[in-house]
Amino acid sequence: MGESAPPPGLKLMDSEEFREHAHRMVDFVADYYRHIEKFPVRSQVSPGYLNDLIPAFAPQDPESFDDILADVSNIIIPGLTHWQSPSFFSYYPANSSTAGILAEILISGFNTVNFSWIASPAATELEIIVVNWLGKLLELPDSFLSGSSGNGKGGGVIQGSATEGMLVTLCAARSRAISKHTANGLVEEDVVRRLRAYTSDQTHMCLHKACKIAGIKLVVLPTTKETNYALSPALLRGAIEEGGDDVIPLYLGATLGTTSSAAVDPLLELGEIAQEYEMWFHVDAAYGGSACICPEYRHFLDGIEKADSLNVGTHKWLLTNLDCSVLWVKNARTLTSTLSVQSEYLRNKASEAGEVVDFKDWQVSLGKRFRALKLWLVMRLYGSSKLKNYIIHHTCLARLFERKVTEDKRFEILVPCRFGLVCFRLKAIEASSVNALNENLLHAVNSNETTFITHTVLSGDFLLRMAVGGTLTEAKHVIKAWETIQKKATQLLSSK
Ligand code: PLP
């Protein structure tokens, strides 16, 4: 067979066509934000709605950009829950910002795969620098910061999520414990069977997931109203002691700002216990950590010097579009010795000389996005003083909402308002029906499309959660949400 000429290139990246489409896409996104308040905050579609609107097979021939944009408007946007709506008060915020979006354009524009320093030195070096910037803003002890080339003992890394941060630290703790106990003559299977992680019933489910993956038994300790749903050090100590010689305490997961009610565990006392039993102490500050850049909230981090690791989800409340979750560890070698794998095709002089950090050894995946650009643009375009004001703005709005709730005698607040979160409920004439009443109120509020809140259950009490923290949220949105809640409450109570 004679050699045939290769087919012509596909010309998939024509820079003029890209420029034209990108400008239109930026206009599209800018208009989306301009009109965001016109959409129902929570999508009103039924499950499976897209099946009737999108063909079952991928198109064989290229389709037009105009048609695609029209479909985004007509069939995708109706299926969106508008997390960036200023009236989105559910779960926790997932901030978007101009800086974050612009950085995302750069990140996917470069599309570098930054597993090791040599794969893109700027990505690794910028990550080390900006993560140190944030660590200094949080006034973390120097032991968590990287040396100038990142080869100090401690250091930070940007993970895709808090969950990944927990998983890698749990695996590091597990490896450390296995090495120690097998060196003392125990069999590995026996060590793993005896290992225990400890946490409270308020900890995010991501620790449950990490334990499931790592095969570690998790001891979940109950919290009560007496501690405002923080983990009690006495209870922790009791649980460890109760395990006796048959268990090996491995990992303590504390939270600074729980998902349910923004409770803060007492880091100093818990950290002392963790040190006493030689457990890895991880602090999950996925939500509350961002507030600690403000002097008013920094005290919540007191005791962090006792921790082995800490994560702060800048993709929640610090304007850095999903995904960007910073993890600091005090001893990076515990991570790298657990997660490092080598391959001939990855070998290079800089790595072998130990002159550089290869972030593939600090995370689960090999490939790594250039997320540091996002944090860098956020910090540079806004500056730390504006970022601090941004947080304080939300905490003031949450206080405003809390005041409104306390002024209306039909409502009550059962746990302290922390950061941007207010947990509250409608009082009932008959105590037995109070949960049902509040569940009905939640449905009534969310059915009205102009606001979206969620709930939690604490000590059996069904509470509504108002999480203030949207990039575009102003006082008028908080007041409007409160008026909707009041109106729905009046309707519900009058129908009784
Ligand atoms: N930890 C806390 C306290 C959270 O509130 C959340 C999510 O809301 C998580 C962890 C999980 O975060 P991620 O989605 O980054 O894994």
Side-chain angles (χ1 to χ4, degrees), residues 91-92 160-164 166 202-206 255-260 284-288 311 313 315-316 322 325:
Y91 314 110
Y92 273 140
S161 64
T163 311
E164 290 162 56
M166 274 198 194
Q202 299 300 306
T203 296
H204 192 272
M205 63 191 165
C206 61
T255 313
L256 193 166
T258 61
T259 317
S260 209
D284 175 13
Y287 166 64
N311 76 273
H315 60 204
K316 291 199 189 314
L322 206 67
S325 182

